């Protein structure tokens, strides 16, 4: 059997219809690239694994009885991959024409590239953040305060998502979202796979951090285009749900943030991150609690909940020192 140029790894969790569409799109748009597909089913209950086994028998299927999280599931795929390059592809991401061919050509032309990412667009071709700066206390303040959204064209305030930059220009960046990325296998073997302490969120940020620390570059390519349906549901406080599932998702992100700050910036930075977030939401709670308007009262209740979740995340991770027992 010929060794593939690319191993495409897709992690699926209860996305049977999207996964089918993703695999059909992949077969249509792969062009002349020699690739293999590895699918890790993260304990889905919607028949995703059976669908793959029946409709896409050429794909390598790994079944997990439980939800391992994004990083740990991808690591199973890394261990099985035979390609010289590994592509991470979300089950809700769909390649545009020549995306795979162009990304492979970029990687083969420059051995200093440790990871490359695409221009992500939504279902209606709307821009999604595709090239980002590493988290920092300053960047966290810009995001949390809303200054980044208020002044997107400012090179300073728009720094986190590079909203000031021309999205049609390729650039070296800090990290790219995991909806689509391509990585040389030799780089993965050098810096290590995903850190499995991160169940969900920050895992691709942390991997890019290690790749850059090893001396490689992270690239954003605007002519490698991928439609990403999940981008529209990225969490903001205005979209945050008071439901149990909404709280759980937000708590996961907080835990991962503390783990990241503690690992890469130290305990004091993790504490400052927590203090800054709690202070901000305490002030927002206070500001809205005196209003008689229902909307503002609801905001006050929301911000109170966020403060409690931040406190819980600190306790759960012992200040970012440990990853809570799974499942999170």
């Amino acid at each position: 059997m010929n060794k593939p140029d690319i191993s495409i790894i897709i992690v699926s969790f209860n996305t049977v219809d999207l996964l089918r569409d993703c695999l059909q799109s992949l077969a249509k748009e792969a062009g002349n690239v020699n690739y293999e597909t590895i699918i890790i089913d993260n304990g889905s209950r919607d028949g995703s694994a059976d669908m793959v086994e029946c409709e896409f028998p050429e794909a390598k299927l790994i079944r997990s009885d439980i939800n391992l999280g994004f990083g740990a599931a991808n690591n199973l795929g890394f261990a099985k991959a035979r390609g010289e390059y590994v592509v991470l592809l979300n089950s809700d991401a769909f390649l545009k024409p020549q995306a795979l061919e162009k990304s492979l050509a970029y990687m083969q032309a420059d051995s200093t590239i440790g990871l490359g990412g695409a221009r992500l667009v939504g279902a209606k071709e709307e821009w999604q953040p595709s090239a980002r700066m590493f988290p920092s206390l300053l960047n966290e303040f810009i995001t949390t305060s809303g200054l980044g959204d208020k002044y997107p064209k400012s090179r300073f305030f728009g720094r986190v998502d590079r909203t000031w930059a021309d999205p049609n220009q390729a650039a070296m960046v800090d990290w790219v979202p995991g909806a689509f990325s391509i990585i040389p296998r030799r780089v993965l073997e050098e810096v290590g796979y995903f850190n499995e302490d991160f169940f969900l969120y920050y895992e691709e940020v942390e991997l890019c951090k290690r790749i850059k620390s090893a001396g490689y570059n992270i690239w954003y390519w605007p002519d490698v285009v991928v439609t990403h349906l999940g981008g529209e549901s990225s969490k903001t406080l205005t979209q945050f749900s008071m439901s149990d599932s909404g709280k759980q998702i937000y708590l996961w992100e907080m835990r991962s943030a503390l783990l990241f700050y503690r690992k890469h910036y130290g305990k004091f930075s993790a504490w400052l991150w927590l203090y800054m977030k709690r202070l901000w939401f305490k002030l927002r709670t206070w500001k809205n609690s005196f209003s008689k308007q229902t909307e503002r009262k609801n905001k006050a209740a929301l911000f109170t909940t966020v403060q409690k979740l931040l406190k819980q995340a600190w306790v759960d991770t012992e200040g970012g020192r440990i990853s809570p027992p799974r499942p999170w």
Side-chain angles (χ1 to χ4, degrees):
M1 184 180 296
N2 292 333
K3 185 177 179 180
D5 294 319
I6 290 178
S7 296
I8 299 174
I9 300 176
I10 304 172
V11 175
S12 175
F13 179 64
N14 293 326
T15 58
V16 60
D17 294 327
L18 283 173
L19 179 59
R20 179 186 291 110
D21 292 342
C22 174
L23 291 171
Q24 290 173 344
S25 173
L26 175 60
K28 177 183 177 182
E29 303 296 353
N32 295 320
V33 175
N34 180 18
Y35 73 96
E36 66 174 354
T37 307
I38 302 171
I39 299 164
I40 301 89
D41 184 75
N42 245 348
S44 296
R45 299 179 301 275
D46 64 351
S48 293
D50 292 339
M51 181 277 293
V52 171
E53 195 171 65
C54 178
E55 300 180 26
F56 302 92
E58 70 283 358
K60 294 181 180 179
L61 175 64
I62 300 173
R63 294 175 182 254
S64 173
D65 294 333
I66 61 172
N67 185 352
L68 298 170
F70 182 79
N74 271 297
N75 285 350
L76 293 179
F78 291 158
K80 293 288 185 181
R82 298 183 301 116
E84 185 177 356
Y85 299 92
V86 174
V87 165
L88 305 182
L89 186 67
N90 276 13
S91 60
D92 61 353
F94 307 91
L95 302 179
K96 292 283 192 175
Q98 296 187 302
L100 205 60
E101 294 170 302
K102 288 179 178 178
S103 62
L104 177 60
Y106 281 130
M107 297 302 285
Q108 291 175 331
D110 189 348
S111 62
T112 68
I113 301 176
L115 186 146
R119 178 175 183 169
L120 302 178
V121 297
K124 298 179 180 179
E125 301 295 318
E126 65 274 23
W127 174 84
Q128 293 180 6
S130 306
R132 312 177 105 167
M133 285 190 72
F134 285 133
S136 68
L137 293 175
L138 173 59
N139 289 343
E140 189 66 44
F141 174 76
I142 289 172
T143 302
T144 303
S145 66
L147 289 170
D149 291 333
K150 190 173 182 179
Y151 304 108
K153 296 304 179 182
S154 164
R155 195 179 183 104
F156 181 78
F157 292 115
R159 57 195 269 139
V160 178
D161 288 335
R162 298 183 82 252
T163 49
W164 58 268
D166 182 354
N168 295 310
Q169 293 294 319
M172 283 192 292
V173 299
D174 281 347
W175 70 280
V176 298
F180 174 92
S181 56
I182 182 168
I183 316 165
R185 181 165 187 84
R186 59 180 171 78
V187 172
L188 272 177
E189 297 300 333
E190 178 182 342
V191 306
Y193 295 175
F194 280 117
N195 185 334
E196 296 187 12
D197 284 346
F198 297 84
F199 177 73
L200 193 64
Y201 302 111
Y202 281 80
E203 56 276 276
E204 70 263 60
V205 186
E206 203 275 336
L207 178 60
C208 286
K209 188 82 170 173
R210 284 187 279 124
I211 289 174
K212 289 201 75 170
S213 295
Y216 296 100
N217 298 318
I218 311 292
W219 273 89
Y220 158 73
W221 299 310
D223 57 341
V224 176
V225 185
V226 174
T227 299
H228 180 219
L229 301 184
E232 292 92 349
S233 60
S234 295
K235 300 172 311 308
T236 67
L237 277 178
T238 56
Q239 297 168 319
F240 175 55
S241 170
M242 293 294 286
S243 67
D244 289 341
S245 60
K247 293 175 186 176
Q248 183 184 53
I249 289 170
Y250 206 55
L251 181 61
W252 284 345
E253 185 172 15
M254 293 171 176
R255 288 166 170 167
S256 291
L258 287 168
L259 291 170
F260 178 85
Y261 274 85
R262 179 72 175 258
K263 177 179 175 61
H264 289 283
Y265 304 131
K267 180 180 179 180
F268 185 59
S269 289
W271 180 85
L272 281 176
W273 178 90
L274 178 80
Y275 183 81
M276 179 176 64
K277 298 281 281 190
R278 291 188 68 184
L279 178 60
W280 176 260
F281 289 116
K282 188 174 184 177
L283 292 172
R284 296 296 301 275
T285 301
W286 178 81
K287 179 182 177 181
N288 287 278
S289 61
F290 296 104
S291 174
K292 295 182 179 180
Q293 297 178 10
T294 301
E295 182 181 356
R296 295 190 64 179
K297 285 185 177 180
N298 289 339
K299 283 185 177 180
L302 170 63
F303 296 142
T304 299
T305 298
V306 172
Q307 292 178 68
K308 293 178 181 178
L309 292 175
L310 283 163
K311 183 178 181 180
Q312 182 180 341
W314 180 264
V315 172
D316 291 344
T317 62
E318 295 184 6
R321 189 178 69 85
I322 65 167
S323 179
R326 297 192 181 196
W328 277 20

